[in-house]
Structures are given as C-alpha cells and as structure tokens.
Amino acid sequence: MKFIHTADWHLGKLVHGIYMTEEQRVVLEQFVQLVEEEKPDAVIIAGDLYDRSIPPTDAVDLLNDILFKINVELNTPIIAISGNHDSAERLSFGTSWYKHSHFYLKGKLTDDFSPIMLNDVHFHLVPYAEPGLVRQILQDESIHSHQDAMKSVIGKIESQMDQDSPNIFVGHAFVLGGKETESERTLSVGGSGCVTSDLFGPFNYAALGHLHSPDALRHDSVRYSGSLLKYSFSEAKQRKSVSIIHIDSKGDINIEERLLSPARDMREIEGRLEELLDPSFYQKQKIDDYLKVTLHDEGALIDPINKLRQIYPNVLHLERKIDVMDMKQKQVFQSIRSEKKSELELFESFYHEMTTLDFSEDKREIMESVISVVKGEEERK
Amino acid sequence: MKFIHTADWHLGKLVHGIYMTEEQRVVLEQFVQLVEEEKPDAVIIAGDLYDRSIPPTDAVDLLNDILFKINVELNTPIIAISGNHDSAERLSFGTSWYKHSHFYLKGKLTDDFSPIMLNDVHFHLVPYAEPGLVRQILQDESIHSHQDAMKSVIGKIESQMDQDSPNIFVGHAFVLGGKETESERTLSVGGSGCVTSDLFGPFNYAALGHLHSPDALRHDSVRYSGSLLKYSFSEAKQRKSVSIIHIDSKGDINIEERLLSPARDMREIEGRLEELLDPSFYQKQKIDDYLKVTLHDEGALIDPINKLRQIYPNVLHLERKIDVMDMKQKQVFQSIRSEKKSELELFESFYHEMTTLDFSEDKREIMESVISVVKGEEERK
C-alpha cells in the first residue's frame, strides 16, 4: 500500500498581514497533480487543515475544492483529523456523509477507537484534544498532561488493535525533541505540551502533524510531514514537502519525499539599502518573494520600507542590524529611558533616533491623544 | 408525492440573551418523529438554518445531528437552501458529498438553474442572494432591486423548465404583503426588499422562508411555513408549525399543517405585581415559559424583576404600562429634560423616578465614570 502523508495546511493563514490563501491554492493544485500522478491508496492529513477555528470563507471554499478533487474526482480515500488550530466541532459537520466516498474526517476525539481499514492496513485516527477532554472521554482522573493523555489513548487503541495487520497512527502532537518554529501555536501554556516518541512504539508508522519541518524529528517511523508552506521567517530555510509512504504486508516502511514549489518563496535578504536597490543585485533575485530584509546601514534612513517595496513588492518585515558599533546608540537610548522623562518626551527621542526627522506639532498631538487614551484605559482596569 | 415544508430554524438564536439551542433541539426531535411517522418523500428547508453566519458550535452539532437522523437514519431526501442569516460559503462546505444520500443543500446561488428531480417533481432551489450578486451571476446590469433579481432568476428557470412536470420553487424572500415581526432581519436597508407574489406564477407551489408566521401571506400556492419557534414577543400569538404538502401528477396541491410544541412557550402576561405573585394566579400558569411581563402598577416598585423571577424563572422582558394616568409623570420627566441639567443630574432624576431609591454615592461614582468614558469616546470620533 502507498499513501501520502501531509499536514499543517493552515488554510486562511495570515503572515505579517498577508492572507496566504492564494499561495495555498497554488501549492494545493500541485498536490492534487501529485495525487493524480502517484495514485496513492490514501491521502492522510494530520491536522491543522485551517489556521483557526473560524477560517475566512475563501479558505473554506479552497478546502472544499481541493478535498473534492482528491476524493471524488480522483477517487482517492482521504484520512484527516483536526489539529489544535481547527475547531473540532465546526470541522465535524457533515463527516457522516463523507464516509460514503471514503473520506474519513475525524474532528472530535470520542471513545470509539476503532480504526479505518484500507487495503488491510489499519489507520488509527486521534484528533488533537486537550488533556482535560481526554480525561473526560476516558473517565480517567489521573490524566493531567499531554503525555498522560496520549499514553492512555494509545493504551486503549493497543488493547483492541489487530497486531497481525500493519497499524498506522494519525495524530497531531508535539513530540519531545521536535524542533519548533515561530508559527506553531504552543500546545500548553505553563506546562509541558510534549509527548515522548516511545509512545508510538505499537505502530508501524506515526503520521504526525503540528511541527512544520519534515526534519523536526529524527526518527524512522514517527514523522512530521511538515507544513504546506513556510509560515514564518523562522521556517525560511526549511524545505516544504509531502511524504509518500510505502508499507508492505509485513508492515515494513519506505519513505520518499516530494517537494512543493510555491509561487513565491519566503526568504531573507540582507545588505545595505543602496546595495539592495541596485539593479545588479535585484535583477538576479526573484523580486516578488516574501522577504524579510535586514539592513546593514548605520545611521538614519528615510522611508526605507517604501523604497524597498518599489523593487520588492512583498517585503513583509524589515530589520536593522545592530552590531557592536550600534551598542553606543543603544546605550544612549537606555540612558534616555532611565532619565524618567514623560512618555511623550521618550517617544520624541525615539522618533528622532529612528528617523532623524523633526517631531512636528501634528505628530505631537497624535501621540498625546494616544498616550492619554492608553493611560485612561489602564486606570479603568 | 408528499413533502414537508419548513424554514427559519435559526439555530443558535439568542432571544433576550438566552440561547434557544436546547429549545430548538426539543422541537427538532419532534420534527424528526413527525418525519418518521409521515414518511414524506422529501423535507424542504427554505433557508435560515442558522441564525447567523458563524453560529455557536452547539448549533452546528444540532444541525448535523438532526439532518443526519432525517437523511441517513430515516433515509429521507432533504432539499435545503441558505437564507439571509446563513453564510452561503460556510453552509456550502461538503455539499458535493451530501448528494450521495439525496441531501441537496444549495448554499450559493450559481448560474446552474437545473432542478432537483424527485419522484417526477422538479424542485428549483434559489438560495437567498443580494441583488448585486444576482446582477453579477446573470451578467445583467439592469438588476437593482430584489424584485428585478427574483424576476430574472425565475425567468431563467422558466426558460428551461419542464412544463409537463409539477414544479416547486424553494426560496427565501420577502413577498409583498407579507406580515413582518421583529425577529426577521430586514432584507434591504433604504430600499424595498420585497418581491411580488405573481413572480411565482410558473410554479405549482413556492415553498418560502423568511417570514415567521404560516399566515404571513394569504395565497394558495405561495407560502411561508413559518419558523420553528417563536423568536420574538411579536410572534407570541402565532402558531408554529410545519406544512405537509401533497402534490399529484397534475400538479394539484393539498396542504396540511402540523403544530410544533416547544418545551417552553413564549408569551405575555400582565397585571399588578401583587396579582402576578399570588399563588392563585401563578399556580394556573406554566411558570417556566419565556415571558414578557407588563406591570399595571402605578408608582415605584422595589426590584420587581427579581421578585417575578423567583416565581417565573424565564421572564425575558419587563414593561410598565403607561396609560393616561401616567402621562402626568411623563410630562414631569420631559420637563426635567428641558431644564438642561447635566447628564449626571438627569440620570439621578430618572433613577429616582424609576426606583424611588436614593442615588447613593457609589452609584454616582459608577455613573460619573460611565459618562466620562462615553463623552471621551464621542470626542475622539
């Protein structure tokens, strides 16, 4: 049997104020093409189909279109679960009807741990669930952490599992040792959201979602497929791919990766402003990529972001490089802070420091009113 | 052929701060029972399945449960469209999969005007759409009003309609002459949202949603089923029902109504506070109904709402009856307003008028801060 493992589509994602939906459509059309060529026996989507519980309507349209093409037009079974970004309830609407055409979408964890069987391979679907919910479903008061919860759920699955068939786990979790980036949402505030990889021992393969890099975890049979696209600059150097998993009747696994090519890459460039605006530099660049720009210039620059955007329309983030030379400036700034100036004076110094422009009267008025509103709100708290 | 016509379920509706979801579940379970007994050839839901574009998750669960029972468990075809309260896009997710089991949900108006055929009867599904959208879909710049839009859509349908079969229109619209209540949302702001009933001439029956009373329109073949429940006190005297429509091969129509019985009615009671709190009165009442209470007492009353709620837990709205006797009081109040007192003084007079209680120092402080916040916000606009 052959199946494709993907996860973390995050449809409807906003990156630095830009909706990624059209980028996502481009890559998903490639994915549909891959399914058409590879003719897998199933497509597995290991959670975070949407980026949030109430996605924008064009993301809803996109997911519907793509799943329809894969499942109905290409007649390919789909196995999908919800992740921590999805609304389990909203995603669950209609799932009973989808089964007709071998589209198995498990939005909510329930006490039914029976697997989906396709070509004699057993798929065990475990949508993302908070430990509190697992405690309630399993009626086990000893469950407090994600580790407790996953251990108990897998215990239940193992107790009724057919050991003679290949068994695949499909889940959404943060496995200990996995490398995080900035675009995954922490699973647990003030406590460990981790689970250990040894929990997945009973399975021939664990198809995971949550971490965005296919290299997040070094393990033969417990794997993240990685996300569809780069969703933060901390992922700029990651490759984005889906995994094609071959499994034989003995349960032995073979893994291939297929790269995805977005219309626009997400990457970082750096240098002095003048260099970056020089045709001899930018003519060698794919200028419409999503860029984080780090400027090496010292001193003031007038409106660098707009100058950059005239060449590179999709600059999403601009930084100035602070090296040892700048520490003096930083110290000046810190000494200003320690002088106990008023907020307005502090802002004026900051403004001048950053722009070298005059802090004009109209700007002063705007800041005064902003400061008074914020202060008023703080007092009311 | 026999089908049931219902509409305006408004799942997830809030009435005076109370979610109606549990009431809706009670009535929908009755509805499922009716479907089980009547065994209709189809159930038609003419829009406003949800009360808003993003319904609460328990309303999503409820709709999923009920439609699954009717469609899959009772093997009954469902024909449904979105209304002005639904999100066409969100409701459309998954519709392609539902058709397998004869669940035809049309969320978005498209240029495909082919009917659904069941038992040789043709059903023409027209989800609610703004005139601007219809203009775009039909590429007809002359469409401005709801009347223009409906006329054009029906023109399209008529041009390709099989005149030899019975034809049923399923739509969501405000038909001229229909009686409105407070809980339907006006379709058009600053213009007519109406369509005329003669437009539906080509059909043997028009199964409509939008107005909440089955008597909203007096017409033999253009009808509202009315809503599932009373959704405002202006509907307190309406009966709530679904319609069972029999149609023979010649297209002749016969209509029966079946009443729905909510766990709690929505109704009005009135009298003096003392009377309403008297066991000889309330022991004859169904005290947990949703109530609007109109008090006939003159002069001040201390905390009447809490006194009433000790007997009637679901008082949603309390009014004092102002008759000729009270006009003097009203005039006093108006003369206070014309004296140009400060907001705080005005409120103090009002408070005293309504409660006869002292306007204590802590209350004064709260009002002062409220007034200053509101004034601050007005100035910033």
Side-chain angles (χ1 to χ4, degrees), chain B residues 116-299:
Chain B
I116 305 297
M117 298 179 212
L118 286 174
N119 304 16
D120 297 324
V121 176
H122 293 208
F123 292 87
H124 304 270
L125 278 58
V126 180
Y128 174 78
E130 295 291 333
L133 183 63
V134 179
R135 183 164 63 233
Q136 197 185 314
I137 290 169
L138 298 184
Q139 297 185 303
D140 178 349
E141 288 301 316
S142 74
I143 293 172
H144 294 286
S145 65
H146 278 272
Q147 174 77 0
D148 299 339
M150 190 62 89
K151 196 174 175 181
S152 299
V153 166
I154 291 178
K156 284 276 177 191
I157 292 172
E158 208 182 349
S159 71
Q160 57 189 65
M161 191 163 104
D162 176 4
Q163 306 282 354
D164 296 332
S165 300
N167 284 289
I168 309 284
F169 180 90
V170 180
H172 194 88
F174 182 12
V175 177
L176 193 70
K179 281 188 226 122
E180 283 180 285
T181 64
E182 285 164 14
S183 62
E184 301 114 6
R185 186 186 296 160
T186 307
L187 291 188
S188 185
V189 175
S192 168
C194 286
V195 302
T196 53
S197 59
D198 62 304
L199 294 182
F200 304 101
F203 304 99
N204 298 84
Y205 183 77
L208 297 180
H210 184 57
L211 297 182
H212 285 188
S213 164
D215 298 322
L217 206 65
R218 290 287 178 194
H219 196 289
D220 288 342
S221 62
V222 180
R223 283 186 79 252
Y224 291 98
S225 63
S227 61
L228 200 64
L229 284 172
K230 299 174 183 178
Y231 287 128
S232 71
F233 286 106
S234 60
E235 300 174 35
K237 294 209 163 61
Q238 293 177 1
R239 71 187 184 287
K240 295 297 174 182
S241 61
V242 296
S243 303
I244 303 181
I245 316 292
H246 302 262
I247 184 163
D248 64 20
S249 56
K250 288 176 292 177
D252 288 338
I253 290 284
N254 184 283
I255 303 168
E256 290 174 75
E257 265 185 40
R258 292 299 163 88
L259 294 180
L260 300 171
S261 308
R264 299 183 185 89
D265 197 9
M266 180 175 283
R267 59 192 179 86
E268 305 186 15
I269 60 172
E270 54 185 299
R272 289 191 305 110
L273 183 60
E274 202 175 81
E275 287 164 7
L276 302 183
L277 299 179
D278 193 308
S280 70
F281 180 82
Y282 69 69
Q283 279 164 1
K284 289 178 220 145
Q285 302 278 325
K286 194 158 168 307
I287 53 173
D288 68 341
D289 282 348
Y290 296 109
L291 297 178
K292 171 179 167 180
V293 178
T294 306
L295 292 178
H296 289 189
D297 305 75
E298 292 160 28

Side-chain angles (χ1 to χ4, degrees), chain A residues 34-53:
Chain A
L34 180 71
V35 173
E36 192 168 2
E37 289 160 13
E38 287 287 334
K39 296 182 181 49
D41 300 299
V43 165
I44 293 184
I45 316 169
D48 286 356
L49 285 79
Y50 292 124
D51 189 56
R52 41 187 147 137
S53 60

Side-chain angles (χ1 to χ4, degrees), chain A residues 55 61 64 71 90 94 97, chain B residues 55 61 64 71 90 94 97 108:
Chain A
D61 273 352
N64 186 72
N71 181 239
R90 293 181 199 281
W97 283 273
Chain B
D61 273 351
N64 186 72
N71 181 238
R90 292 180 200 283
W97 283 273
K108 286 186 276 195

Side-chain angles (χ1 to χ4, degrees), chain A residues 186-220:
Chain A
T186 307
L187 291 188
S188 187
V189 176
S192 168
C194 286
V195 302
T196 52
S197 59
D198 62 303
L199 294 182
F200 304 102
F203 305 98
N204 298 82
Y205 183 77
L208 296 180
H210 184 58
L211 297 183
H212 286 188
S213 164
D215 298 322
L217 205 66
R218 292 285 176 195
H219 196 290
D220 287 341

